[in-house]
Amino acid sequence: MIYPYTLQEIRQNINTGVEYEIALFYKLLSTAEQQMVLEAINSRFDKTKIYDIIEHTDIQQILDALESRGLTLYDVSFETQNDNIGPSDIVLHLKDSNDKNLQIGISVKYANTCSLNVTGRRFISELQISTLKEELPRYTNMYIKEMSDKYGDINNWFRKRKPSSTTDEYIDLIRDAVIENWSNITDKPNLLSALFHSDSPIEFWVITYNKNGYTLKTEPATVEVSRAQDIIIKKYQTSYVAFYLNNRMIGRMQIKFNNGFIEKCKKKNADLIYQDVKISYGKPFSSWNFSIE
């Protein structure tokens, strides 16, 4: 099913991991539709990588899973930008044994289990955010000093993903705030429903690519929202908050800056200037990664 915008989406989308979504979509198409999509793939900078993924993608595992439920694939659509169908990047259009139409989505991942990018405002209060923001200029100066002491000129480290103990310290402040505020969150059932996609409007499977091809989960992990009040959270590793139910980790959330501790300034007035480089403070509350175990 090639929508009017599908080919443009394949040509222009540069989201991380989209090459796996494109490759799987291609493999699931009819031969005639594959030729249309191939033209779009050929215009991409990463076409060689997509060809390699296509070569190593065998869809028989998916077809076997459908057959075991008496389902027949008759069409497929590319839905990576469609937020109205839950976590699905691709939708399988199917018929059952009674010739009834139904859909199953596929969420495509590469070597990770991230199920949702969630705003920190779901977990901490505006007062906590305000307090943490007041600390950000001081920590930014600490960060610049740390990077300069380690790597010298700003061009040696700015926007180059260098590890930083200052970043870890600031993220730890946020983790403390998340844990402190957990008991105050009143909409935990709705929050957990979003995190585990139990509110997805269609059934979905999860495909996770790895070095040996991919794994298919036809029953993704979830949690009963009625157990929301039983979940406890703790710090995990350097930047995660882990979610536990009955002493078993069921998910973890990576607390991170959306685009680095400091960013290139895209606004009229820079937050600070260092070695003639205009800098903006990073965004530590806008996009955290939640992963299902």
Side-chain angles (χ1 to χ4, degrees), residues 134-231:
E134 289 176 0
E135 290 291 321
L136 193 53
R138 182 168 71 89
Y139 274 84
T140 300
N141 288 331
M142 290 167 56
Y143 174 83
I144 290 174
K145 184 178 187 306
E146 178 192 7
M147 293 293 101
S148 297
D149 289 347
K150 285 184 177 180
Y151 306 108
D153 188 273
I154 189 171
N155 293 317
N156 296 333
W157 51 265
F158 184 44
R159 309 296 302 149
K160 294 187 177 179
R161 298 179 180 272
K162 300 291 187 181
S164 163
S165 60
T166 303
T167 301
D168 294 343
E169 288 177 25
Y170 190 85
I171 286 175
D172 208 44
L173 294 179
I174 301 176
R175 294 200 295 174
D176 288 337
V178 170
I179 293 170
E180 178 186 346
N181 195 54
W182 181 242
S183 62
N184 298 324
I185 296 176
T186 58
D187 67 339
K188 284 179 185 174
N190 290 332
L191 178 57
L192 290 172
S193 180
L195 294 175
F196 285 90
H197 294 295
S198 52
D199 59 347
S200 177
I202 63 172
E203 178 186 351
F204 69 95
W205 296 349
V206 176
I207 279 182
T208 303
Y209 275 90
N210 51 52
K211 294 179 180 179
N212 300 316
Y214 65 82
T215 58
L216 170 66
K217 282 189 177 181
T218 59
E219 296 182 6
T222 187
V223 62
E224 294 182 19
V225 294
S226 61
R227 301 291 309 278
Q229 300 303 327
D230 298 328
I231 292 174

Side-chain angles (χ1 to χ4, degrees), residues 20 23-25 27-28 53-65 92 106-111 205-218:
Y20 294 92
L24 181 59
F25 176 62
K27 290 288 288 192
L28 290 163
I53 300 168
I54 289 172
E55 183 178 350
H56 293 91
T57 298
D58 183 354
I59 63 169
Q60 192 59 49
Q61 186 180 169
I62 299 171
L63 299 179
D64 289 345
L92 307 178
I106 297 181
S107 176
V108 182
K109 304 181 183 304
Y110 173 69
W205 296 349
V206 176
I207 279 182
T208 303
Y209 275 90
N210 51 52
K211 294 179 180 179
N212 300 316
Y214 65 82
T215 58
L216 170 66
K217 282 189 177 181
T218 59

